[in-house]
């Protein structure tokens, strides 16, 4: 993906997420890792009204290139890329939203993970979603929490594609923007199902193992 294509993809996905209610007002952000830096949505930008030329660009050291101020979550995105690429080198896009059902589930659940493995596509496409401690938006401690979770799960042989910041929203990542958006969509739909059916049983271990063997499930 060229830089021009990445800029267009960020704007296209931002508009799609905004129009379908995954983000609202100026909540959420999207970034893409380039070979020589990062593109990220500007601070306090509405994802539904992005312009390709107005995205912030920083170099690999995080230094601003241009005049557009990047999202305050830039540090978090850079640390996610550094950690996630240790287990999936092709990681290229991160999306953060304040998706309603995920946030609602984070207010209800008490466990270490946001969701149970209740559907095969959640097991196959999303996998584990650690529910991290609450931190204020933009906190550097939140970045450390995310990095720790990525390495903890990665060393166990279950690389992460998402984490949940309680009361705030999920961060998801994959190897291109459309794939990251698909992870987010599956995650939010599973959260909606879990809220509708809070006592739904998890898939049994043998069903999860069958998915692993048949579809390279990430659970």
């Amino acid at each position: 993906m060229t830089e021009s294509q990445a800029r267009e993809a960020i704007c296209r996905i931002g508009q799609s997420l905004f129009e379908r209610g995954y983000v609202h007002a100026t909540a959420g952000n999207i970034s893409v890792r380039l070979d020589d830096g990062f593109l990220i949505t500007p601070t306090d930008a509405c994802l539904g009204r992005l312009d390709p030329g107005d995205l912030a660009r920083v170099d690999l050291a995080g230094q601003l290139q241009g005049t557009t101020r990047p999202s305050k979550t830039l540090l978090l995105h850079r640390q996610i890329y550094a950690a996630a690429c240790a287990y999936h080198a092709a990681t290229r896009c991160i999306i953060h939203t304040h998706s309603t059902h995920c946030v609602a589930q984070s207010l209800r659940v008490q466990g270490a993970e946001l969701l149970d493995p209740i559907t095969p596509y959640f097991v196959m496409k999303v996998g584990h979603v650690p529910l991290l401690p609450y931190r204020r938006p933009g906190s550097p401690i939140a970045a450390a929490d995310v990095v720790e979770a990525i390495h903890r799960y990665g060393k166990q042989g279950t690389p992460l594609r998402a984490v949940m910041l309680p009361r705030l929203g999920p961060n998801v990542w994959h190897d291109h923007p459309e794939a990251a958006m698909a992870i987010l969509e599956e995650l939010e739909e599973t959260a909606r199902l879990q809220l509708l059916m809070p006592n739904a049983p998890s898939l049994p271990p043998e069903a999860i193992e069958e998915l692993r063997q048949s579809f390279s499930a990430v659970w």
Side-chain angles (χ1 to χ4, degrees), residues 55-139:
L55 300 178
R57 195 189 201 284
V58 299
D59 63 19
L60 292 174
Q63 295 301 307
L64 182 63
Q65 298 177 319
T67 59
T68 302
R69 289 177 58 204
S71 165
K72 59 181 173 291
T73 62
L74 174 62
L75 173 64
L76 173 59
H77 282 236
R78 289 178 60 222
Q79 293 199 24
I80 289 175
Y81 284 121
C85 283
Y87 306 98
H88 184 66
T91 302
R92 286 282 181 177
C93 179
I94 297 169
I95 300 175
H96 167 63
T97 68
H98 296 184
S99 305
T100 302
H101 297 95
C102 284
V103 174
Q105 175 69 2
S106 80
L107 299 174
R108 187 190 72 84
V109 71
Q110 299 297 317
E113 298 200 6
L114 180 67
L115 297 164
D116 298 324
I118 59 173
T119 72
Y121 269 80
F122 178 76
V123 170
M124 292 160 55
K125 302 297 185 181
V126 182
H128 295 273
V129 183
L131 180 63
L132 303 180
Y134 172 76
R135 312 291 186 192
R136 65 167 174 80
S139 168

Side-chain angles (χ1 to χ4, degrees), residues 70-218:
S71 165
K72 59 181 173 291
T73 62
L74 174 62
L75 173 64
L76 173 59
H77 282 236
R78 289 178 60 222
Q79 293 199 24
I80 289 175
Y81 284 121
C85 283
Y87 306 98
H88 184 66
T91 302
R92 286 282 181 177
C93 179
I94 297 169
I95 300 175
H96 167 63
T97 68
H98 296 184
S99 305
T100 302
H101 297 95
C102 284
V103 174
Q105 175 69 2
S106 80
L107 299 174
R108 187 190 72 84
V109 71
Q110 299 297 317
E113 298 200 6
L114 180 67
L115 297 164
D116 298 324
I118 59 173
T119 72
Y121 269 80
F122 178 76
V123 170
M124 292 160 55
K125 302 297 185 181
V126 182
H128 295 273
V129 183
L131 180 63
L132 303 180
Y134 172 76
R135 312 291 186 192
R136 65 167 174 80
S139 168
I141 302 175
D145 291 338
V146 175
V147 168
E148 188 279 330
I150 290 172
H151 286 305
R152 176 160 41 91
Y153 279 79
K155 290 173 182 177
Q156 294 171 358
T158 53
L160 295 177
R161 290 181 178 172
V163 296
M164 182 66 194
L165 306 179
R167 300 176 183 268
L168 189 61
N171 280 275
V172 305
W173 53 89
H174 214 301
D175 53 7
H176 58 84
E178 287 77 9
M181 182 168 66
I183 295 294
L184 175 67
E185 291 167 334
E186 193 66 42
L187 174 56
E188 175 70 354
E189 179 63 16
T190 308
R192 187 173 77 90
L193 291 171
Q194 189 99 72
L195 288 165
L196 288 170
M197 298 290 294
N199 297 318
S202 299
L203 286 169
E206 60 269 21
I208 294 175
E209 183 59 31
E210 182 183 21
L211 292 170
R212 283 199 190 105
Q213 294 180 7
S214 300
F215 299 103
S216 299
V218 294

